[in-house]
Amino acid sequence: MAILVYTEHWDGQFKKSTFELVSYASKLAEMADAQTVALSIGQVDEDNLRQLADYGADKIITVNQANLKYLDNQAYTSVIQQVADQEGADIMVLAHNNTGKALAPRLSARMQAALGSEVNQLPAELDPFVVNKKVFSGKAFANVKLKTDKKVLTLAQNSFGIYENTQEPIIENFEPTLSDEQIKTQVTDVEKHRDKLLLTDAELVVSGGRGMKSPENWDKLNDLANELGAALACSRPVSDEGWRPHEEHTGQTGKIIAPDLYIAAGISGAIQHIAGVSAAKYIVAINNDPDAPIFEMADYGIVGDAMQVLPELTEALRKARS
Amino acid sequence: MKILVCISNVPDTTTKVRFTNDNTQLDTNGIQWVINPWDELALTRALQLKEDKNNSVESVTVIHVGGKESEPTIRKALAIGADDAIRVNAEPTDAYFVASQLAEVIQQHDFDIIFAGIESSDYNGAAVGGMLSEMLGMPSISAVSSFELENDQVRIIREIDGGKETMTSQLPLVVVAQKGIAIEPRIANMRGIMMARKKPLNVVEPAEKDSMVDFVDFELPQAKPPCKMVDPENVQELVDLLQNEAKVI
């Protein structure tokens, strides 16, 4: 019996979210008295691969095949299934990011394995296998029973934590059966946001809403973000107005994030916005309307003009850190 | 070229959710039902493609798995411009069941492009589009934020962590759409609403399919402790709280 965890990498590097995922898989393996097998597709050097064993991977399987350079959902699903079959894996674990959302449902249908999507904790026991997940865009949680022997889980980002559990791993290469004809999608161009802290990875996020009044005022948010080492986000009206790129839109139809700290300036806190940030561990609200709904969600609040408060906050942080 | 858009019927996003029967069922009293926001964006894009005469899109069909009570939502999709609709007459129990029902019907047609929203705003499973593509043995592209047709070839942009990829694909294809595929969902006008009444809404009986998960029960999030207010003249206090109480910086 094994737990198979699909570990995505970015140009050969893993992220903290990968280690969180492996930590989760290895705790699950402990419950099931099973091996934790990590699968990595593409070129990753051995030192980086060994990092997976620091969080509990007993075995690391690598797949290097030229036709797997880019994510093709059908091909990757087939590879994961082939490895799962070889390893006798009953539970497959993926991240609840764009890649995991693309592959997990395919894998579920392919392997007749119930899908527990965006789970936020371990199941209390293995039988019945009940997982907890957010529903109604964060307005409630559901306990979901997975009824089949095999299972696929996607883990909500920043929901579990990272736990060291160093193993001496076996590293093996796997040759999947996969012809070029089976690959039906092609990537023709890649555009990367280089050197930019990714909103969904960020532990600290500084966000602005319509209360920021104009795009020129974003330098005040930017200064604070730079001081904190935070990523920038915004509310929907701001991205719809074109003040900020839509990648920064945080909310129900935008990005769903779970940082340690979310600072919302000039954001009233519409229910759709809250849906995107309710998993933040701490929320700070800065708004000149004391009745803004954001204060019901916030841990700390300042009623005041964001244009004045933001520079003062940046300055206070600078002093506190020097 | 024929386009199909899968639509889900969900509570309006401003709904305050409540549960009944020992927290095992959604309390549907007073809920306004709408087309799932991502499905609505995908439908909007499909209609734009059909209207652009440079393309050869013959028809845009919508499909939905649900009881008769979901017909107003389907009629809304027809009112904003879909040509016809299919309703699979079954209570949707989980994503696998819904995808199985959709696959069963789709196999009897020849759609070139099938759109599904990346998730639904009720159970947030992010599953139906992917499952459906696997059942149909079709390629799928997920997190699609731009979709163009040129001489019946697709040009797609998908969002990846930290960037974007431009893609092409063989058809038929399942396109799993996210925000960006269309900016604003289309709103029905009076003429559209009148016309929708006459458009075909075909009801098909479900195939025998199982679900793979059960929703055991629901819980509401714990109430947050009240917000600690900080004097705007003393932002230093906020820094202290973040450093020493929350310990997040």
Side-chain angles (χ1 to χ4, degrees), chain B residues 69-231:
Chain B
E69 67 283 357
S70 58
E71 287 198 356
T73 298
I74 301 172
R75 288 283 172 206
K76 191 182 161 204
L78 294 171
I80 66 177
D83 297 294
D84 58 345
I86 304 166
R87 177 170 70 82
V88 181
N89 187 28
E91 190 57 36
T93 48
D94 75 343
Y96 183 79
F97 176 84
V98 170
S100 305
Q101 296 297 346
L102 294 173
E104 200 69 24
V105 176
I106 292 166
Q107 272 157 356
Q108 298 161 27
H109 293 77
D110 53 344
F111 296 106
D112 303 281
I113 296 164
I114 298 166
F115 281 106
I118 193 161
E119 63 180 272
S120 64
S121 60
D122 48 6
Y123 297 101
N124 306 103
V128 171
M131 287 179 174
L132 175 63
S133 61
E134 187 65 32
M135 291 167 184
L136 295 169
M138 287 184 192
S140 60
I141 299 181
S142 191
V144 171
S145 62
S146 166
F147 185 98
E148 304 285 344
L149 277 175
E150 275 165 40
N151 305 323
D152 290 351
Q153 297 287 308
V154 298
R155 186 175 172 278
I156 285 171
I157 295 178
R158 80 167 162 205
E159 307 272 322
I160 53 171
D161 264 7
K164 292 172 186 184
E165 288 173 342
T166 306
M167 301 186 68
T168 59
S169 174
Q170 294 175 25
L171 300 182
L173 168 71
V174 176
V175 178
V176 181
Q178 69 151 50
K179 192 192 159 155
I181 193 149
I183 303 302
E184 281 287 321
R186 193 168 283 200
I187 297 165
N189 56 28
M190 192 43 83
R191 186 164 167 268
I193 294 167
M194 299 299 285
M195 280 170 66
R197 293 185 193 160
K198 294 184 195 129
K199 288 180 177 172
L201 195 171
N202 302 306
V203 179
V204 299
E205 287 309 313
E208 258 194 51
K209 299 285 177 186
D210 289 327
S211 64
M212 295 205 291
V213 311
D214 283 337
F215 284 84
V216 182
D217 56 10
F218 299 92
E219 54 208 45
L220 295 173
Q222 287 178 340
K224 273 214 155 191
C227 181
K228 267 191 196 171
M229 300 311 288
V230 174
D231 185 342

Side-chain angles (χ1 to χ4, degrees), chain A residues 74-99:
Chain A
Q74 263 176 317
Y76 272 54
T77 301
S78 167
V79 171
I80 298 172
Q81 181 235 323
Q82 290 178 41
V83 173
D85 286 351
Q86 175 188 278
E87 298 300 315
D90 283 339
I91 305 176
M92 280 63 71
V93 183
L94 296 90
H96 195 74
N97 59 12
N98 279 350
T99 306

Side-chain angles (χ1 to χ4, degrees), chain A residues 12 18 34 67 101 141 155 166 182 192 219 226 238 254-255 320:
Chain A
T18 321
N67 57 13
K101 283 188 245 182
F141 292 88
L155 179 67
T166 306
Q182 285 173 271
K192 286 196 178 143
D219 56 358
N226 284 339
V238 165
K255 295 252 178 354

Side-chain angles (χ1 to χ4, degrees), chain A residues 8 10 15 70-74 77 96-98 101-102 105-110 112-118 130 132-148 157 181 183-194 198 200-201 204 228 236 239-240 246-247 249 252-256 260-261 263 271-272 278 280-286 295-304 308-309 312-313 316-317 319-321, chain B residues 11-17 19 26 31 37-38 41 94-96 118-143 145 155-174 176 178-180 183-185 210-222 224-236 238-243 245-249:
Chain A
E8 188 178 3
W10 289 263
K15 288 185 188 174
Y70 295 109
L71 173 68
D72 175 277
N73 296 342
Q74 263 176 317
T77 301
H96 195 74
N97 59 12
N98 279 350
K101 283 188 245 182
R106 289 202 79 125
L107 195 61
S108 162
R110 192 181 186 96
Q112 297 291 298
L115 175 61
S117 147
E118 205 176 9
V130 178
N132 191 268
K133 80 176 295 285
K134 198 171 76 176
V135 288
F136 297 99
S137 302
K139 287 181 231 168
F141 292 88
N143 291 308
V144 184
K145 184 164 99 181
L146 311 191
K147 298 188 285 186
T148 52
Q157 219 158 305
E181 291 72 46
I183 295 177
K184 296 177 187 150
T185 68
Q186 284 79 39
V187 172
T188 55
D189 189 41
V190 182
E191 181 193 325
K192 286 196 178 143
H193 308 309
R194 296 216 177 272
L198 196 59
T200 45
D201 287 341
L204 309 174
L228 279 168
R236 177 171 179 166
S239 78
D240 283 357
H246 85 86
E247 292 88 11
H249 165 203
Q252 179 161 285
T253 51
K255 295 252 178 354
I256 313 284
D260 292 335
L261 174 64
I263 300 180
I271 198 161
Q272 294 90 341
S278 60
K281 295 199 172 73
Y282 286 89
I283 296 177
V284 172
I286 303 166
F295 290 114
E296 285 163 36
M297 279 303 298
D299 299 278
Y300 305 118
I302 295 182
V303 177
Q308 276 174 21
V309 174
E312 288 174 23
L313 181 57
L317 273 164
K319 276 190 194 141
R321 291 173 156 202
Chain B
D12 178 83
T13 52
T14 57
T15 304
K16 201 168 163 57
V17 299
F19 299 98
L26 178 67
I31 288 183
W38 293 272
L41 290 173
D94 75 343
Y96 183 79
I118 193 161
E119 63 180 272
S120 64
S121 60
D122 48 6
Y123 297 101
N124 306 103
V128 171
M131 287 179 174
L132 175 63
S133 61
E134 187 65 32
M135 291 167 184
L136 295 169
M138 287 184 192
S140 60
I141 299 181
S142 191
S145 62
R155 186 175 172 278
I156 285 171
I157 295 178
R158 80 167 162 205
E159 307 272 322
I160 53 171
D161 264 7
K164 292 172 186 184
E165 288 173 342
T166 306
M167 301 186 68
T168 59
S169 174
Q170 294 175 25
L171 300 182
L173 168 71
V174 176
V176 181
Q178 69 151 50
K179 192 192 159 155
I183 303 302
E184 281 287 321
D210 289 327
S211 64
M212 295 205 291
V213 311
D214 283 337
F215 284 84
V216 182
D217 56 10
F218 299 92
E219 54 208 45
L220 295 173
Q222 287 178 340
K224 273 214 155 191
C227 181
K228 267 191 196 171
M229 300 311 288
V230 174
D231 185 342
E233 302 302 319
N234 186 16
V235 293
Q236 180 58 43
L238 177 60
V239 175
D240 291 342
L241 287 166
L242 293 176
Q243 279 186 321
E245 189 177 83
K247 298 190 172 71
V248 286
I249 60 170

